[in-house]
Amino acid sequence: MSSLNVPSIGSMNPPILRRLEALEVGEILDAIMLFLDEYRDLFAASLVCKTWTPIALDHLWRTLNSVDPLCRLLGPMQYLDGFWVSTNRLFPFSQALIERTRTATACLQRFTDTILGADWTRFEFYSQKVRRIDNDFDGGELGHGTLTQVLNIRPPSIPYILPRVTEINWTEQETARGILDLTPLFSPTLKSFALTNTSNPIDVGVVLRHLVFLPGLKLEGFHARWESRQFEGPLCDVLDRHRDSLKSFSHHSFEPEERLLNSLTQLVNLTNLELELYRTLRTDEDCNNFSDVLASRCPGLKKIRFRFPFQGIFTFYAIQPLMRIKRLREISMKARHLDLKVEDFREMGDAWRSLVALGFPNSLIPLPWLATITEHFSPTLEYINMWIQVPDGLNPDYTTLTPLTPSLKRISFIESAEPETFDAVGSFFCKLAASNTVVECSEGMGQYLRMVTGNSVKWETRGW
């Protein structure tokens, strides 16, 4: 049996040795580990050597999908007889356990006795690495309800559970106990907060008030998914409190009532706005008035995404005032029926000279228009998202059309599923698309185009 001949460091060639030395440079390691998405890969990297360990741990703890890892830092636990227990004493997790120990105070005291000073030191060390936390809690693990009890007994040396967190994305699940436990996770370093699918208005009010009164907090992003009418007052208070810092705001089921609209348009640094305009904007005139207010008060907007969930037909008049926002780089308008003409795109191109992304996914755009549209937005346009209309018997002379602008990197479109339209679409992109343009289309269209075009155009299929 022969043994493996592993060369020593001293016997290696200088070029190989230099490559190995590069893996000891912190900046290089940090850049490499940005490409490791799986937790198991980062965990494996943390075990390589002492040089790799701190950098890998920073990446491993940077984003958490649950608060469970934080809870487990306070000692070993196991699931027994329907609740969590520590190695020595009962762990207060459920109401049934509290009833078994007669009083919540006694239960909490038993848990307190099991936490050592070293446990808190370990907890503090790793909690400082967390920059983002998402809630994927499904009721099967320790969960954020347990974390609340931990917070009640933490030592004074730990004023904030997540002292360096910058982003919290919280989705209330149907089985969750609510979102009241969110507020202890906040710290003055928080920059972006998202709260979606909430069902308890009391909890939402508590969270919004906490965002108003937490000292030192300067939010830059706020994203919500609930009816704004329910919490119009607290939501206005949040916008007013962070008027000078908020740069990004998104809200589904947004109703632009006077006070809320006034608070929104007073955000002096607002650049990204995403709204599902709910109930009140039903006509071209309503949308035109709303667009006019935005253009007048928010000239610094760079990204706008609107969704109109109504059956009415909207025209270019609905968004025409937005032409006054000259710094716009991305715009997306999704409506059931949005009637646009090729002349409308010419006016958009003249107004938005720096536009990078253009999306009108529910507008029926004739296929030959794509070449004309991209010409109007050249040379900055990189992404376009349209609903392509392929007229019956279409056989245009593509030699008369200008090729798609070379800056275009991606086209995402929905087309007719009829096979007889495939030839027209495939011929169009083969003749006019740049070599670096990626085309996203339906699975059926993509399979057909791969068959007939080979590698002349890059395709990515998507199921719609």
Side-chain angles (χ1 to χ4, degrees), residues 335-352:
R336 291 290 180 89
H337 301 285
L338 186 58
D339 185 17
L340 295 175
K341 300 178 175 58
V342 69
E343 294 80 10
D344 301 333
F345 289 100
R346 182 178 295 110
E347 185 172 341
M348 295 181 203
D350 292 339
W352 299 326

Side-chain angles (χ1 to χ4, degrees), residues 393-398 424:
L394 176 67
N395 188 21
D397 181 7
Y398 295 124

Side-chain angles (χ1 to χ4, degrees), residues 155-442:
S157 61
I158 305 179
Y160 299 104
I161 284 294
L162 302 176
R164 296 182 181 177
V165 67
T166 59
E167 183 176 356
I168 297 178
N169 301 310
W170 211 261
T171 302
E172 182 188 6
Q173 308 293 334
E174 293 182 1
T175 57
R177 289 179 293 279
I179 60 172
L180 281 171
D181 301 324
L182 264 181
T183 56
L185 299 178
F186 294 165
S187 76
T189 61
L190 185 65
K191 298 299 181 185
S192 177
F193 177 68
L195 179 62
T196 62
N197 297 336
T198 61
S199 59
N200 190 330
I202 297 177
D203 290 357
V204 173
V206 170
V207 170
L208 294 179
R209 285 193 295 273
H210 206 75
L211 292 174
V212 172
F213 295 109
L214 182 64
L217 182 64
K218 293 184 178 181
L219 275 183
E220 295 181 2
F222 182 85
H223 314 282
R225 186 187 291 270
W226 27 262
E227 291 188 23
S228 59
R229 181 178 295 181
Q230 279 186 286
F231 312 102
E232 180 180 353
L235 180 56
C236 289
D237 293 339
V238 172
L239 297 180
D240 294 340
R241 163 69 169 76
H242 302 284
R243 177 181 302 171
D244 296 330
S245 59
L246 268 174
K247 300 177 181 178
S248 178
F249 179 80
S250 68
H251 201 299
H252 295 258
S253 301
F254 182 82
E255 299 182 61
E257 303 292 344
E258 183 177 355
R259 183 189 173 191
L260 185 55
L261 184 58
N262 184 64
S263 295
L264 175 63
T265 54
Q266 293 299 316
L267 301 177
V268 295
N269 291 309
L270 185 65
T271 57
N272 298 341
L273 181 62
E274 183 174 351
L275 301 175
E276 179 178 317
L277 296 162
Y278 193 60
R279 293 181 181 173
T280 54
L281 302 184
R282 295 178 177 270
T283 67
D284 263 4
E285 190 66 35
D286 294 335
C287 295
N288 180 277
N289 292 335
F290 178 70
S291 299
D292 184 65
V293 172
L294 284 182
S296 300
R297 301 182 186 178
C298 303
L301 282 173
K302 295 181 179 180
K303 176 181 177 181
I304 294 178
R305 289 186 178 182
F306 290 162
R307 183 175 182 268
F308 305 94
F310 300 111
Q311 298 286 349
I313 298 178
F314 295 93
T315 67
F316 180 63
Y317 175 74
I319 61 173
Q320 194 169 21
L322 299 179
M323 302 302 110
R324 303 202 305 267
I325 304 178
K326 301 300 183 182
R327 299 172 61 187
L328 206 61
R329 292 179 59 81
E330 177 179 339
I331 185 167
S332 177
M333 297 286 172
K334 186 174 183 180
R336 291 290 180 89
H337 301 285
L338 186 58
D339 185 17
L340 295 175
K341 300 178 175 58
V342 69
E343 294 80 10
D344 301 333
F345 289 100
R346 182 178 295 110
E347 185 172 341
M348 295 181 203
D350 292 339
W352 299 326
R353 303 307 302 172
S354 301
L355 201 71
V356 174
L358 175 68
F360 292 99
N362 281 39
S363 303
L364 288 176
I365 305 299
L367 180 62
W369 283 18
L370 277 182
T372 306
I373 291 171
T374 59
E375 181 183 7
H376 292 326
F377 292 95
S378 180
T380 61
L381 192 67
E382 297 181 2
Y383 174 76
I384 190 169
N385 181 11
M386 295 288 183
W387 193 316
I388 301 299
Q389 181 184 33
V390 183
D392 294 337
L394 176 67
N395 188 21
D397 181 7
Y398 295 124
T399 60
T400 64
L401 297 177
T402 303
L404 303 181
T405 174
S407 65
L408 199 63
K409 297 179 180 179
R410 184 171 294 269
I411 301 174
S412 180
F413 70 92
I414 304 175
E415 81 296 326
S416 169
E418 298 299 326
E420 53 266 24
T421 68
F422 287 4
D423 284 332
V425 176
S427 177
F428 175 87
F429 285 111
C430 286
K431 291 179 180 297
L432 300 181
S435 59
N436 65 327
T437 302
V438 177
V439 180
E440 294 181 359
C441 54
S442 66

Side-chain angles (χ1 to χ4, degrees), residues 16-60:
I16 298 178
L17 189 59
R18 283 195 296 271
R19 294 191 189 102
L20 292 177
E21 290 174 347
L23 294 179
E24 296 182 357
V25 179
E27 292 80 0
I28 296 177
L29 282 175
D30 187 70
I32 291 174
M33 291 184 187
L34 288 173
F35 294 93
L36 300 181
D37 297 328
E38 297 290 337
Y39 285 116
R40 61 184 179 183
D41 294 335
L42 290 169
F43 177 72
S46 70
L47 302 177
V48 171
C49 63
K50 291 182 178 179
T51 302
W52 285 40
T53 297
I55 300 174
L57 287 178
D58 284 343
H59 285 267
L60 182 64

Side-chain angles (χ1 to χ4, degrees), residues 115 117 120-121 123-124 150-160:
I115 302 179
W120 285 117
T121 301
F123 184 95
E124 184 178 14
V150 173
L151 297 174
N152 292 331
I153 56 175
R154 72 185 187 276
S157 61
I158 305 179
Y160 299 104

